[in-house]
Structure formats: structure tokens, C-alpha cells
Amino acid sequence: MAELHAKKRNQLPSSEFGLPGSRKYPINDRSHAANAKSRATQMVKAGKLSASSAARIRAKANKMLGK
């Protein structure tokens, strides 16, 4: 996966995050999009993320991945 350092992450527009309001789950490239989908699924199973939020993350990631 491409590294995303704090400086570059802070420069990303909120629209490039799976949850733009909280700037979580960056989806700025294909590897981060795939990772965001995986982490969202893990967080739903752990009870730390709602299913609807995970669905938004997956939809945005799928758009980046061309699915």
C-alpha cells in the first residue's frame, strides 16, 4: 500500500475520505480504497461502525475501484 503521511493526509480534501465529516477512511488511491472497505467491515463486526456508514464507505471505495 502506498504510504500516506500526516502532511499529505492533511492536504487531502474531505471529499477523498469514506467518512468526510470525521476525515476517516482515506480513499485517495486504489490501495487505500481497498483497505477502507476491509477496515469498514472489521469495524462493523467489532461494533464500532454502523452498517450504513460502512455501506457509504464501500460505495465510495467501489467508485474508486471501478466496480
Side-chain angles (χ1 to χ4, degrees), residues 18-55:
L19 296 177
S22 56
R23 295 181 58 86
K24 292 183 179 180
Y25 305 96
I27 303 176
N28 58 313
D29 58 25
R30 294 181 61 81
S31 64
H32 280 91
N35 189 51
K37 286 177 65 172
S38 297
R39 299 308 133 236
T41 301
Q42 284 182 335
M43 292 296 105
V44 169
K45 289 180 181 178
K48 297 181 179 183
L49 185 68
S50 69
S52 62
S53 292

